[in-house]
Amino acid sequence: MNRLQGKIALVTGGSMGIGRAIAELFAEEGATVIVGDVSQPEAFKHGNITSKSLDVSKLEQWEHLVEAIVGEHGRIDVLVNNAGLVGSYLPIDEIALEDWNRVIDINQNGVFYGMRTVIPVMKRQNAGSIVNVSSIWGIVGASGVSAYQASKAAVRMMSKNAALSYVGNGIRCNSLHPGLVETPMIARQAADTTAAVAAATPMGRAAKPEEIAYAALFLASDEASFITGAELAVDGGYTTP
Ligand SMILES: NC(=O)c1ccc[n+]([C@@H]2O[C@H](COP(=O)([O-])OP(=O)(O)OC[C@H]3O[C@@H](n4cnc5c(N)ncnc54)[C@H](O)[C@@H]3O)[C@@H](O)[C@H]2O)c1
């Protein structure tokens, strides 16, 4: 129950779904958790979680929140860039430009802004762990979902870039690649899309959000002290060659 004892963790998109499971598990494991989200969460099970308003696609909101966290807690040990959306299921020649830009703004620029504002804090500490939530669609191809694929692939490579750029600053950065997970995001999509992904998953099922949270916990914790620049698929075998 103390795998993140005493750590200050910022988790984006933690009001529901995977981010919420990560926030709850991190708090259970001893972290002080700050959730940044555009939506208000229902009450958390754990008391050591604070909810703050954050639109990850707005750099000034990141700057404000990071300053507030450092003002209150003095440090940020863990950043989980989890907030994201599918946004559009359409291919390149059909997706509306505004939908493309919105998905890139949230999924890709949001991760960039998060790292850009938190990394200076971690550099001062000479320590920190960043977990960027990508997707199986950041590793292998799919039809449609063009902006989502582009953004999630970018997150994968931005994570490797940060890993190597800050390896001398005590900062680790890894990407997490969930397969199908039972969350509100999936509840919103067409049932036949979900069924097709489940059928193509060797384990033949979707994950529970907690199964993703345990992988994030490992990467965030000091147990992963020799792991940086890695991509961890938590996908029931989906991307296994
Ligand atoms: N569910 C899956 O099958 C699956 C698979 C692979 C990857 N992922 C990724 O996992 C992450 C979480 O997905 P989920 O299924 O829990 O989604 P979800 O829609 O259930 O929850 C997403 C959370 O992010 C928040 N959010 C959305 N836009 C935001 C913004 N601009 N700023 C701050 N918060 C914002 C939402 O309010 C919500 O609380 C996403 O990055 C998603 O791409 C999900």
Side-chain angles (χ1 to χ4, degrees), residues 67-112:
E67 195 184 323
I69 295 170
V70 173
E72 186 174 351
H73 301 284
R75 56 192 294 116
I76 299 176
D77 300 294
V78 176
L79 169 64
V80 182
N81 280 309
N82 161 79
L85 78 175
V86 179
S88 165
Y89 289 82
L90 294 175
I92 287 168
D93 66 335
E94 292 176 39
I95 186 170
L97 277 187
E98 61 185 355
D99 290 342
W100 174 276
N101 288 331
R102 180 162 163 264
V103 173
I104 299 295
D105 265 351
I106 294 171
N107 293 5
Q108 182 175 337
N109 292 339
V111 173
F112 166 61

Side-chain angles (χ1 to χ4, degrees), residues 16 18 37 39 54-56 82 148 152 179 181 183 185 188:
M16 63 184 89
I18 293 169
D37 202 305
S39 64
L54 172 71
D55 180 342
V56 295
N82 161 79
Y148 188 73
K152 292 300 186 180
V181 191
T183 66
M185 171 188 276
R188 286 191 298 269

Side-chain angles (χ1 to χ4, degrees), residues 1-64:
M1 302 296 278
N2 57 4
R3 294 169 68 187
L4 291 178
Q5 197 60 46
K7 300 217 187 265
I8 309 297
L10 171 54
V11 180
T12 70
S15 290
M16 63 184 89
I18 293 169
R20 185 181 179 92
I22 291 173
E24 295 277 16
L25 182 60
F26 281 19
E28 257 177 62
E29 292 291 341
T32 297
V33 181
I34 299 95
V35 158
D37 202 305
V38 283
S39 64
Q40 273 298 314
E42 288 172 22
F44 289 105
K45 278 182 279 175
H46 206 285
N48 211 6
I49 306 175
T50 313
S51 173
K52 300 284 185 191
S53 173
L54 172 71
D55 180 342
V56 295
S57 67
K58 303 278 189 284
L59 178 59
E60 63 283 1
Q61 292 191 19
W62 272 104
E63 289 168 343
H64 187 256

Side-chain angles (χ1 to χ4, degrees), residues 16 105 118 143 156 173 206 240:
M16 63 184 89
D105 265 351
V118 171
S143 62
R156 171 173 172 264
C173 182
T240 301

Side-chain angles (χ1 to χ4, degrees), residues 103-140:
V103 173
I104 299 295
D105 265 351
I106 294 171
N107 293 5
Q108 182 175 337
N109 292 339
V111 173
F112 166 61
Y113 296 149
M115 292 201 288
R116 189 176 173 89
T117 46
V118 171
I119 281 171
V121 178
M122 291 180 166
K123 279 170 93 173
R124 284 200 294 277
Q125 300 162 184
N126 202 32
S129 175
I130 301 170
V131 180
N132 291 328
V133 180
S134 173
S135 164
I136 50 174
W137 306 132
I139 300 176
V140 296

